[in-house]
Amino acid sequence: MKKSIVFTMLCCFAVSVFAQMDQGNTILSGGFEFANASTKVETKFGSDVTTEDLIGLSGFAMNLFAGFFASDFVAAGLEVGYVSASAETHIDEDNSMTLKDGMLWFAPAVRVYGELGRDFYVFGHFRSAFGFGSVKTETKTGNTTNSVESKQSMFEIGVFPGFSYSLTEYFSLEMYWGFL
């Protein structure tokens, strides 16, 4: 569990490229996240041990934010991202279900920075995102496989709170979490 939490925190870090946070300068920021999990059940009956893989989850997300500083400590721009996820459930040897999801999204965004100390900033990344994608569900019962694909769309408005540490004049290390 501790390894999963540390790995998740490391995956949330992003590297940004921008000059000082002065009006007229540009910002280029991006991130990549990856997740993988599985659930196994081990059954012991005397000296017999059986192990079953019940659920497998995996996915990744990536995004890119490009913009300019409209004023000191306030950047406006466009964010583009892609999310992919899959889940597989094994009910027994003959029955299983697989779900695959993929979505491309776009978001006009504004990032507001507040200085906490030398080279250390807190920020709010406000965005209004819209996207489109598809969901494919595949169920297997015995020798019969059924597949259903549907389209999906999304719309969200919110803010990501985060921290930024300036490594040099042009590079920063960022960490953000959650979505309000």
Side-chain angles (χ1 to χ4, degrees), residues 90-169:
H90 296 282
I91 299 164
D92 56 34
E93 290 180 14
D94 295 330
N95 299 304
S96 66
M97 183 173 81
T98 304
L99 178 72
K100 294 182 181 179
D101 182 10
M103 180 174 289
L104 178 65
W105 56 268
F106 305 92
V110 174
R111 187 176 284 189
V112 179
Y113 289 88
E115 193 170 8
L116 293 178
R118 184 168 184 238
D119 298 330
F120 193 65
Y121 303 89
V122 63
F123 66 84
H125 185 90
F126 302 89
R127 77 175 186 205
S128 175
F130 58 94
F132 55 89
S134 64
V135 177
K136 182 177 180 182
T137 306
E138 189 174 280
T139 56
K140 179 183 171 197
T141 306
N143 293 329
T144 305
T145 302
N146 294 319
S147 182
V148 175
E149 188 167 345
S150 60
K151 303 294 180 193
Q152 65 178 349
S153 60
M154 63 87 88
F155 177 74
E156 71 179 12
I157 296 176
V159 61
F160 289 95
F163 293 99
S164 178
Y165 179 72
S166 295
L167 299 172
T168 69
E169 184 178 350

